[in-house]
Amino acid sequence: MSRLEAKKPPLFISEPLTGDAVSQSLSVLSGILKSSYGPAGRLKQLHNGVGGCVCTTSQSSTLLGHLSISQPVLRVLTASVRNHVSRFSDCGLFTAILCCGFIENFRSLNVAPFTVIKISRHLLGLCMEHLKSEACGCRVSVDFSSVETLACLVRSILTSKPACMLNKTEVDHLTSLVLKAFIYTVPSRVETNVVLGKCVIIPVKGRRVVDSTVFPGLLIEAPEIQLGKPLAVKRTGSNMIKIALFSVSMSGDGFNPEEGTVAVHHGVSLEVSELNQLLHVGKQLFKDEVGLVVCQKVMHPSLKQSLKENGVLAVDRAGLSVMEPLGRMTGSQPIASIHSLSPGCYGTLKDLCIESFASKHFLHLIPEDTVTCSLILCNRSETAWDELKRVCETAEHVLQLTVKEPLALLGGGCTETHLASYIRYKSSSLPASTFKDLDCSQTQYQLVADGFCRSLESVARSLSHDGEEILTDMVYGHSWFIPSGSPCVSKWSDLVSRCGCGMNDNTEDLGWRFLQGQSGCPVIQGCPKEPSAKVADLLALDCFAAKCSGLQVALETANLILDLSYIIEDQN
């Protein structure tokens, strides 16, 4: 008889934020995230310590997905950030760093957490109101009649991840490809409910990045197809190619034992019966004028040969990833059984051809209306390719979000310092009724507002990894970087050329000051509604929807953590 062990009582931890363990863990996590931020961010190598795959990255989704976090407080933080990234794909590090900043700055205040939460939500409301107003100086309208702003947005995403190991030529090449691929996914006909298409990324590792290319339609790898032979495909009377899409195995290997017991009469071969059914399906496909059969899984060689003899092209082992875009592109319904074929399940293609790339042969499926495209993505190493794939997927998602809300925010730390300057300006002139409504004193409000601003500025300071000094100006509230080791000068304009986003230059005296997170009162005067520089001159842009969501998620998560009074852990 096994020995029974008495249950242990749960562990109660009161005021978890006051403990040294949580403080140290939060500080370590914040340091990891800050050191990964921006184009000059430091790479992290993640592995499990007992062998296996080693991951090199600076992306929040990969970092937070691989880190083993035991502190309940930090698990709340990381889960919240990962949920944000799953919805927007971008601004994960921004959200996480800002959340850590809010927690660190707010908990050091001698103000009750309930009061801090009320005031910080009011400050968030001021930020969101400013970001959504026409007078906002860190907002850029995206004009879809020109690719300049879109190109800047994509370029900013590509250059923000150093693990992709891209030079300027490669960044420019990929920027044009991502934009071209995105344009392919936009329907040519305007309807009430517009649904964007899909870009399928095809991996080619060990080749140059500039070898990457994009094709309208869909590429399916078909190693059995020979380049030298002409591609004869059966067509319908309207010169279209009818396609059948099978999601079920057509290998003829019998039934899956997990599906139940099959009763077979004496003398009947299950394999022969299954093959006869497959050949019957082939005859039906030929009768229905099908020219192309694509099977997600394996197809029996005899069925392949039978289809080929009747002028029907067969491709198997297509894989799950192409099924959804292929069905959507051709209008075909995946067939899940070889025992029932409906005429309404077929789709159509305009044309079919063979493409060859890096010793691989592809079947190029060209639809009548192109809303699906294939991006052949190359990079020199597997690690760099994995990072680049995630970046390209992020860029595609950001462009889709920008279609819904055609706005962008200035990058390079300028949005953060601009908002900090705006909040300091706005909080210094609030009416007494505001403090009464929030049930707080003016001193408490200013303390929380200062912590709020320092948290925003800490994100901008995280872009500095090589000892650069960071300035902010008193007019627009943008961030400016001075290289480390710069000589002492009497005028700041002799050291700075352009702000972090590239909108403003040093031609006018903007009253620069060091950005050290101390209280100040830079007043924004005459915030430009439109950039004073051309959009093409901008160095960095961020996704409007992703950053606005990140700002809200960071504050709400920080407030949730600040409001924790107990953590109860089961010890069994």
Side-chain angles (χ1 to χ4, degrees), residues 125-136 138-139 405 407 409 419 544 548-549 552:
L126 293 177
C127 283
M128 299 309 299
E129 183 183 353
H130 180 60
L131 289 172
K132 293 181 179 180
S133 71
E134 292 291 334
C136 179
C138 60
R139 200 179 78 167
E405 200 165 13
L407 297 168
L409 290 174
L419 284 177
F544 181 83
C548 287
S549 170
Q552 296 174 81

Side-chain angles (χ1 to χ4, degrees), residues 286-563:
F286 173 70
K287 184 180 176 181
D288 292 340
E289 296 186 308
V290 172
L292 174 65
V293 177
V294 177
C295 181
Q296 176 186 334
K297 300 176 182 177
V298 180
M299 189 180 291
H300 197 285
S302 298
L303 176 60
K304 270 188 173 182
Q305 184 63 31
S306 174
L307 291 171
K308 183 180 179 181
E309 290 172 356
N310 288 285
V312 181
L313 186 62
V315 178
D316 64 347
R317 295 182 175 90
L320 180 63
S321 60
V322 302
M323 296 296 285
E324 188 270 334
L326 182 55
R328 188 170 167 187
M329 182 181 79
T330 60
S332 56
Q333 300 293 324
I335 301 167
S337 172
I338 61 172
H339 298 280
S340 61
L341 291 181
S342 168
C345 65
Y346 302 134
T348 55
L349 284 172
K350 180 182 178 182
D351 203 359
L352 200 61
C353 64
I354 301 172
E355 299 288 349
S356 180
F357 191 92
S359 75
K360 291 185 176 183
H361 301 325
F362 297 95
L363 201 61
H364 186 189
L365 283 61
I366 305 170
E368 190 170 11
D369 292 321
T370 303
V371 291
T372 301
C373 66
S374 300
L375 173 61
I376 294 183
L377 189 62
C378 308
N379 212 336
R380 292 168 288 273
S381 68
E382 187 170 351
T383 297
W385 187 89
D386 291 340
E387 191 85 347
L388 185 58
K389 177 180 181 286
R390 287 189 289 266
V391 170
C392 289
E393 289 172 341
T394 298
E396 182 192 10
H397 192 186
V398 165
L399 290 173
Q400 292 171 351
L401 292 170
T402 307
V403 169
K404 297 178 183 177
E405 200 165 13
L407 297 168
L409 290 174
L410 302 178
C414 289
T415 291
E416 290 84 343
T417 53
H418 172 90
L419 284 177
S421 299
Y422 175 78
I423 289 298
R424 285 201 173 102
Y425 161 73
K426 196 75 176 175
S427 62
S428 65
S429 56
L430 288 173
S433 58
T434 302
F435 310 127
K436 185 178 180 181
D437 293 340
L438 294 171
D439 193 22
C440 69
S441 66
Q442 185 174 0
T443 302
Q444 288 175 324
Y445 191 95
Q446 290 297 339
L447 284 171
V448 177
D450 185 55
F452 189 96
C453 294
R454 282 188 282 116
S455 301
L456 285 167
E457 290 169 340
S458 72
V459 180
R461 288 198 303 274
S462 299
L463 290 167
S464 171
H465 300 283
D466 296 304
E468 301 100 331
E469 294 286 357
I470 304 182
L471 307 176
T472 185
D473 66 80
M474 300 285 285
V475 179
Y476 303 114
H478 285 209
S479 59
W480 305 71
F481 294 82
I482 300 175
S484 60
S486 298
C488 295
V489 293
S490 57
K491 292 169 61 179
W492 287 121
S493 58
D494 294 335
L495 289 177
V496 295
S497 56
R498 278 196 175 276
C499 63
C501 69
M503 177 191 285
N504 299 310
D505 56 26
N506 61 355
T507 54
E508 57 178 318
D509 186 7
L510 300 178
W512 293 278
R513 68 175 179 88
F514 279 111
L515 183 66
Q516 298 293 349
Q518 302 300 319
S519 295
C521 192
V523 179
I524 298 179
Q525 300 170 356
C527 280
K529 293 184 180 180
E530 297 292 335
S532 57
K534 294 180 181 178
V535 174
D537 295 333
L538 290 173
L539 301 177
L541 286 177
D542 290 325
C543 175
F544 181 83
K547 201 147 203 177
C548 287
S549 170
L551 177 59
Q552 296 174 81
V553 168
L555 184 70
E556 290 301 330
T557 304
N559 284 344
L560 173 65
I561 291 171
L562 287 168
D563 204 27

